[in-house]
Amino acid sequence: MERINIEEQLGSIDSLPTIPMVIRQIQKVINNPQSNMNQIAAVIAKDQTLASRTIRLVNSAFYGLSKRVTSITQAIVILGLNTVNNLMLGLSVVRMFDEKGSSHFDHERFWEHAFATAIMAKEIGIELHIDEPEDCFIGGLIHDIGKLVLEQYYHDEYVKVCVYAKQKQVSMRTVEKALFTYSHDWVGSFLTARWNLPPCLTAVVHYHHDIEIITDELRVHRQLATIVGKANQLSHIHRLGDSAEPTVTADSQFETLQIKKSSCDRIAEKAREEVNTTIQEFRQ
């Protein structure tokens, strides 16, 4: 396979996805201390797809609410601003890419993996009593976004990556670097920088495979990246979805989380149940 100068090509692609204007408006209104719930709901309601998906997901088994939520304002009150902001961002990211896929890169199974990783990351965050477990959820949801960029814009070449990695039973990152010079984690962080996402999400996307090399400026987000990395591994080990990785095993670096195996197994089974009952609502 002939190596491609992906850095130069990515910089020249004018059609790389951008965060929709409605998401920027939502974030601006949420960050304004003078905004009220009705104003925030009004901005979300401008995008019917995001609004309907929010109601569906809030009422799904994932959140387990005893009373059905029927309005965006109710959702904001019940879930809180940070949760709604992350939910909007996550749903927006999900619908940015065409779902053409191939027999070697199944978009539906890919999103199952991403969603399962998001659920498990949030559960691990709750287990560890971190301040913002919703950051774990959105980090898990977009951790492999770089794979979608490569598959979308270098489709034929990326199919070769998938086939070769599976045949040789080596990691996707190894083959990606051989063909593109950069792997999907770097490509994903390129995109998060383009979107001007929070540094904690850049840390997750860039370093969820290699926690030990995280830069000093992002080291404050080390725990979050580690949590998502562990959730990613658990998702693969328990075969929840498929991100085209041929082989993934538990890494000793994640022992620093001090999560018992029994807890990991419980979290994985909970994720399996929630993925099965929620993923259809999430995609509709």
Side-chain angles (χ1 to χ4, degrees):
M1 292 185 290
E2 183 178 352
R3 178 169 289 191
I4 300 171
N5 187 344
I6 189 172
E7 185 173 13
E8 179 179 330
Q9 291 195 19
L10 278 179
S12 66
I13 294 176
D14 294 328
S15 58
L16 271 176
T18 57
I19 291 292
M21 183 60 67
V22 67
I23 298 301
R24 298 189 185 280
Q25 291 175 339
I26 290 169
Q27 292 173 329
K28 183 177 180 180
V29 174
I30 286 178
N31 291 329
N32 184 350
Q34 297 182 338
S35 298
N36 58 47
M37 296 299 182
N38 289 329
Q39 290 173 316
I40 298 170
V43 175
I44 294 174
K46 290 180 179 179
D47 189 310
Q48 293 183 351
T49 302
L50 291 179
S52 62
R53 282 187 172 188
T54 302
I55 295 298
R56 285 196 183 105
L57 190 55
V58 166
N59 286 298
S60 70
F62 176 60
Y63 285 101
L65 301 177
S66 59
K67 183 179 180 180
R68 183 169 180 80
V69 176
T70 59
S71 73
I72 297 296
T73 302
Q74 280 183 296
I76 297 172
V77 171
I78 293 172
L79 299 177
L81 294 181
N82 187 61
T83 297
V84 171
N85 187 37
N86 281 341
L87 179 59
M88 290 292 95
L89 179 59
L91 291 173
S92 180
V93 168
V94 165
R95 71 176 189 169
M96 282 181 186
F97 296 89
D98 293 336
E99 296 192 4
K100 55 184 179 182
S102 71
S103 59
H104 301 289
F105 192 92
D106 187 325
H107 277 254
E108 183 173 343
R109 296 281 287 158
F110 176 87
W111 285 118
E112 283 185 27
H113 165 76
F115 192 49
T117 301
I119 291 171
M120 286 192 283
K122 180 177 178 179
E123 290 297 321
I124 293 173
I126 292 173
E127 184 96 0
L128 296 176
H129 306 290
I130 72 168
D131 292 336
E132 296 291 351
E134 285 296 334
D135 289 342
C136 299
F137 180 85
I138 188 65
L141 190 64
I142 70 171
H143 73 283
D144 272 343
I145 200 72
K147 289 184 179 179
L148 284 180
V149 176
L150 292 171
E151 191 269 339
Q152 187 93 85
Y153 294 96
Y154 306 93
H155 179 76
D156 293 343
E157 293 85 352
Y158 205 64
V159 167
K160 296 177 182 178
V161 170
C162 295
V163 171
Y164 187 88
K166 185 174 182 179
Q167 288 178 343
K168 301 297 183 180
Q169 286 295 291
V170 295
S171 73
M172 294 285 284
R173 294 171 71 231
T174 298
V175 188
E176 288 165 352
K177 288 179 181 179
L179 181 59
F180 300 116
T181 305
Y182 298 98
S183 55
H184 66 268
D185 41 358
W186 181 90
V187 175
S189 66
F190 176 92
L191 193 55
T192 61
R194 185 185 182 105
W195 287 342
N196 196 30
L197 297 189
C200 65
L201 296 181
T202 295
V204 166
V205 172
H206 201 164
Y207 297 106
H208 66 276
H209 289 294
D210 286 317
I211 308 300
E212 299 304 324
I213 65 170
I214 194 168
T215 59
D216 289 339
E217 62 180 308
L218 294 175
R219 195 168 295 276
V220 66
H221 308 300
R222 180 189 179 101
Q223 184 185 39
L224 179 61
T226 303
I227 288 171
V228 173
K230 180 64 172 179
N232 175 52
Q233 290 185 353
L234 286 173
S235 184
H236 282 291
I237 291 169
H238 290 267
R239 299 186 178 183
L240 299 174
D242 182 10
S243 71
E245 284 291 345
T247 177
V248 175
T249 57
D251 194 316
S252 60
Q253 68 179 315
F254 296 113
E255 292 177 359
T256 57
L257 289 176
Q258 297 182 337
I259 297 289
K260 295 180 180 179
K261 183 180 183 302
S262 58
S263 295
C264 288
D265 291 341
R266 173 182 55 78
I267 288 171
E269 284 309 306
K270 181 176 181 180
R272 187 186 304 279
E273 293 175 5
E274 291 179 346
V275 166
N276 289 338
T277 56
T278 304
I279 199 70
Q280 294 306 317
E281 288 290 343
F282 190 68
R283 293 202 186 96
Q284 285 178 13

PDB file of all heavy atoms in Angstrom, residues 138-154:
ATOM      1  N   ILE A 138     -20.065  11.449  26.572  1.00  0.00           N
ATOM      2  CA  ILE A 138     -19.809  12.063  25.268  1.00  0.00           C
ATOM      3  C   ILE A 138     -18.426  11.673  24.760  1.00  0.00           C
ATOM      4  O   ILE A 138     -18.216  11.467  23.559  1.00  0.00           O
ATOM      5  CB  ILE A 138     -19.973  13.601  25.338  1.00  0.00           C
ATOM      6  CG1 ILE A 138     -19.909  14.219  23.941  1.00  0.00           C
ATOM      7  CG2 ILE A 138     -18.918  14.221  26.213  1.00  0.00           C
ATOM      8  CD1 ILE A 138     -21.027  13.832  23.052  1.00  0.00           C
ATOM      9  N   GLY A 139     -17.457  11.529  25.667  1.00  0.00           N
ATOM     10  CA  GLY A 139     -16.117  11.083  25.272  1.00  0.00           C
ATOM     11  C   GLY A 139     -16.160   9.691  24.671  1.00  0.00           C
ATOM     12  O   GLY A 139     -15.512   9.413  23.653  1.00  0.00           O
ATOM     13  N   GLY A 140     -16.931   8.802  25.305  1.00  0.00           N
ATOM     14  CA  GLY A 140     -17.074   7.453  24.776  1.00  0.00           C
ATOM     15  C   GLY A 140     -17.765   7.436  23.428  1.00  0.00           C
ATOM     16  O   GLY A 140     -17.420   6.651  22.536  1.00  0.00           O
ATOM     17  N   LEU A 141     -18.735   8.317  23.250  1.00  0.00           N
ATOM     18  CA  LEU A 141     -19.500   8.354  22.013  1.00  0.00           C
ATOM     19  C   LEU A 141     -18.637   8.767  20.820  1.00  0.00           C
ATOM     20  O   LEU A 141     -18.805   8.244  19.710  1.00  0.00           O
ATOM     21  CB  LEU A 141     -20.680   9.316  22.157  1.00  0.00           C
ATOM     22  CG  LEU A 141     -21.723   9.291  21.041  1.00  0.00           C
ATOM     23  CD1 LEU A 141     -22.435   7.949  20.981  1.00  0.00           C
ATOM     24  CD2 LEU A 141     -22.727  10.417  21.240  1.00  0.00           C
ATOM     25  N   ILE A 142     -17.691   9.676  21.020  1.00  0.00           N
ATOM     26  CA  ILE A 142     -16.922  10.203  19.888  1.00  0.00           C
ATOM     27  C   ILE A 142     -15.472   9.732  19.875  1.00  0.00           C
ATOM     28  O   ILE A 142     -14.690  10.211  19.047  1.00  0.00           O
ATOM     29  CB  ILE A 142     -16.965  11.746  19.856  1.00  0.00           C
ATOM     30  CG1 ILE A 142     -16.162  12.339  21.010  1.00  0.00           C
ATOM     31  CG2 ILE A 142     -18.394  12.256  19.860  1.00  0.00           C
ATOM     32  CD1 ILE A 142     -15.989  13.858  20.914  1.00  0.00           C
ATOM     33  N   HIS A 143     -15.091   8.787  20.743  1.00  0.00           N
ATOM     34  CA  HIS A 143     -13.672   8.447  20.871  1.00  0.00           C
ATOM     35  C   HIS A 143     -13.051   7.941  19.570  1.00  0.00           C
ATOM     36  O   HIS A 143     -11.874   8.151  19.315  1.00  0.00           O
ATOM     37  CB  HIS A 143     -13.465   7.416  21.987  1.00  0.00           C
ATOM     38  CG  HIS A 143     -13.915   6.030  21.658  1.00  0.00           C
ATOM     39  ND1 HIS A 143     -15.246   5.653  21.671  1.00  0.00           N
ATOM     40  CD2 HIS A 143     -13.225   4.917  21.296  1.00  0.00           C
ATOM     41  CE1 HIS A 143     -15.353   4.372  21.340  1.00  0.00           C
ATOM     42  NE2 HIS A 143     -14.147   3.901  21.097  1.00  0.00           N
ATOM     43  N   ASP A 144     -13.834   7.278  18.717  1.00  0.00           N
ATOM     44  CA  ASP A 144     -13.317   6.738  17.458  1.00  0.00           C
ATOM     45  C   ASP A 144     -13.765   7.541  16.245  1.00  0.00           C
ATOM     46  O   ASP A 144     -13.794   7.025  15.130  1.00  0.00           O
ATOM     47  CB  ASP A 144     -13.776   5.285  17.285  1.00  0.00           C
ATOM     48  CG  ASP A 144     -12.823   4.292  17.919  1.00  0.00           C
ATOM     49  OD1 ASP A 144     -11.674   4.666  18.209  1.00  0.00           O
ATOM     50  OD2 ASP A 144     -13.230   3.133  18.126  1.00  0.00           O
ATOM     51  N   ILE A 145     -14.082   8.809  16.435  1.00  0.00           N
ATOM     52  CA  ILE A 145     -14.604   9.613  15.333  1.00  0.00           C
ATOM     53  C   ILE A 145     -13.611   9.698  14.178  1.00  0.00           C
ATOM     54  O   ILE A 145     -13.987   9.854  13.017  1.00  0.00           O
ATOM     55  CB  ILE A 145     -14.978  11.035  15.835  1.00  0.00           C
ATOM     56  CG1 ILE A 145     -15.950  11.712  14.870  1.00  0.00           C
ATOM     57  CG2 ILE A 145     -13.746  11.878  16.079  1.00  0.00           C
ATOM     58  CD1 ILE A 145     -17.325  11.146  14.893  1.00  0.00           C
ATOM     59  N   GLY A 146     -12.320   9.563  14.489  1.00  0.00           N
ATOM     60  CA  GLY A 146     -11.296   9.591  13.443  1.00  0.00           C
ATOM     61  C   GLY A 146     -11.459   8.468  12.437  1.00  0.00           C
ATOM     62  O   GLY A 146     -11.124   8.627  11.248  1.00  0.00           O
ATOM     63  N   LYS A 147     -11.960   7.310  12.872  1.00  0.00           N
ATOM     64  CA  LYS A 147     -12.191   6.204  11.944  1.00  0.00           C
ATOM     65  C   LYS A 147     -13.241   6.581  10.908  1.00  0.00           C
ATOM     66  O   LYS A 147     -13.134   6.212   9.727  1.00  0.00           O
ATOM     67  CB  LYS A 147     -12.635   4.954  12.706  1.00  0.00           C
ATOM     68  CG  LYS A 147     -11.531   4.304  13.521  1.00  0.00           C
ATOM     69  CD  LYS A 147     -12.022   3.021  14.176  1.00  0.00           C
ATOM     70  CE  LYS A 147     -10.903   2.355  14.964  1.00  0.00           C
ATOM     71  NZ  LYS A 147     -11.352   1.109  15.627  1.00  0.00           N
ATOM     72  N   LEU A 148     -14.263   7.304  11.343  1.00  0.00           N
ATOM     73  CA  LEU A 148     -15.307   7.724  10.407  1.00  0.00           C
ATOM     74  C   LEU A 148     -14.764   8.716   9.385  1.00  0.00           C
ATOM     75  O   LEU A 148     -15.165   8.687   8.216  1.00  0.00           O
ATOM     76  CB  LEU A 148     -16.477   8.344  11.160  1.00  0.00           C
ATOM     77  CG  LEU A 148     -17.413   7.377  11.872  1.00  0.00           C
ATOM     78  CD1 LEU A 148     -18.532   8.146  12.565  1.00  0.00           C
ATOM     79  CD2 LEU A 148     -18.003   6.362  10.913  1.00  0.00           C
ATOM     80  N   VAL A 149     -13.868   9.601   9.814  1.00  0.00           N
ATOM     81  CA  VAL A 149     -13.273  10.548   8.876  1.00  0.00           C
ATOM     82  C   VAL A 149     -12.488   9.790   7.806  1.00  0.00           C
ATOM     83  O   VAL A 149     -12.632  10.046   6.602  1.00  0.00           O
ATOM     84  CB  VAL A 149     -12.352  11.541   9.607  1.00  0.00           C
ATOM     85  CG1 VAL A 149     -11.664  12.470   8.609  1.00  0.00           C
ATOM     86  CG2 VAL A 149     -13.131  12.356  10.627  1.00  0.00           C
ATOM     87  N   LEU A 150     -11.654   8.852   8.244  1.00  0.00           N
ATOM     88  CA  LEU A 150     -10.843   8.078   7.297  1.00  0.00           C
ATOM     89  C   LEU A 150     -11.712   7.249   6.368  1.00  0.00           C
ATOM     90  O   LEU A 150     -11.485   7.195   5.151  1.00  0.00           O
ATOM     91  CB  LEU A 150      -9.870   7.179   8.063  1.00  0.00           C
ATOM     92  CG  LEU A 150      -8.763   7.895   8.829  1.00  0.00           C
ATOM     93  CD1 LEU A 150      -7.997   6.920   9.715  1.00  0.00           C
ATOM     94  CD2 LEU A 150      -7.805   8.590   7.868  1.00  0.00           C
ATOM     95  N   GLU A 151     -12.742   6.620   6.924  1.00  0.00           N
ATOM     96  CA  GLU A 151     -13.621   5.778   6.115  1.00  0.00           C
ATOM     97  C   GLU A 151     -14.440   6.612   5.140  1.00  0.00           C
ATOM     98  O   GLU A 151     -14.720   6.192   4.013  1.00  0.00           O
ATOM     99  CB  GLU A 151     -14.542   4.966   7.033  1.00  0.00           C
ATOM    100  CG  GLU A 151     -15.316   3.862   6.331  1.00  0.00           C
ATOM    101  CD  GLU A 151     -16.662   4.328   5.820  1.00  0.00           C
ATOM    102  OE1 GLU A 151     -17.174   5.343   6.325  1.00  0.00           O
ATOM    103  OE2 GLU A 151     -17.198   3.673   4.902  1.00  0.00           O
ATOM    104  N   GLN A 152     -14.808   7.830   5.570  1.00  0.00           N
ATOM    105  CA  GLN A 152     -15.641   8.695   4.744  1.00  0.00           C
ATOM    106  C   GLN A 152     -14.864   9.293   3.576  1.00  0.00           C
ATOM    107  O   GLN A 152     -15.332   9.294   2.435  1.00  0.00           O
ATOM    108  CB  GLN A 152     -16.213   9.824   5.590  1.00  0.00           C
ATOM    109  CG  GLN A 152     -17.225  10.697   4.864  1.00  0.00           C
ATOM    110  CD  GLN A 152     -18.642  10.230   5.086  1.00  0.00           C
ATOM    111  OE1 GLN A 152     -19.248  10.586   6.058  1.00  0.00           O
ATOM    112  NE2 GLN A 152     -19.162   9.432   4.185  1.00  0.00           N
ATOM    113  N   TYR A 153     -13.658   9.774   3.853  1.00  0.00           N
ATOM    114  CA  TYR A 153     -12.920  10.539   2.854  1.00  0.00           C
ATOM    115  C   TYR A 153     -11.838   9.741   2.139  1.00  0.00           C
ATOM    116  O   TYR A 153     -11.303  10.194   1.120  1.00  0.00           O
ATOM    117  CB  TYR A 153     -12.322  11.796   3.504  1.00  0.00           C
ATOM    118  CG  TYR A 153     -13.400  12.753   3.952  1.00  0.00           C
ATOM    119  CD1 TYR A 153     -13.853  12.758   5.261  1.00  0.00           C
ATOM    120  CD2 TYR A 153     -13.994  13.611   3.037  1.00  0.00           C
ATOM    121  CE1 TYR A 153     -14.874  13.610   5.661  1.00  0.00           C
ATOM    122  CE2 TYR A 153     -15.006  14.471   3.426  1.00  0.00           C
ATOM    123  CZ  TYR A 153     -15.448  14.468   4.738  1.00  0.00           C
ATOM    124  OH  TYR A 153     -16.460  15.300   5.129  1.00  0.00           O
ATOM    125  N   TYR A 154     -11.512   8.574   2.654  1.00  0.00           N
ATOM    126  CA  TYR A 154     -10.538   7.687   2.009  1.00  0.00           C
ATOM    127  C   TYR A 154     -11.126   6.268   2.011  1.00  0.00           C
ATOM    128  O   TYR A 154     -10.490   5.315   2.448  1.00  0.00           O
ATOM    129  CB  TYR A 154      -9.207   7.721   2.754  1.00  0.00           C
ATOM    130  CG  TYR A 154      -8.644   9.113   2.934  1.00  0.00           C
ATOM    131  CD1 TYR A 154      -8.917   9.842   4.092  1.00  0.00           C
ATOM    132  CD2 TYR A 154      -7.875   9.719   1.945  1.00  0.00           C
ATOM    133  CE1 TYR A 154      -8.425  11.121   4.261  1.00  0.00           C
ATOM    134  CE2 TYR A 154      -7.375  11.005   2.102  1.00  0.00           C
ATOM    135  CZ  TYR A 154      -7.663  11.699   3.263  1.00  0.00           C
ATOM    136  OH  TYR A 154      -7.176  12.969   3.422  1.00  0.00           O
TER     137      TYR A 154
END
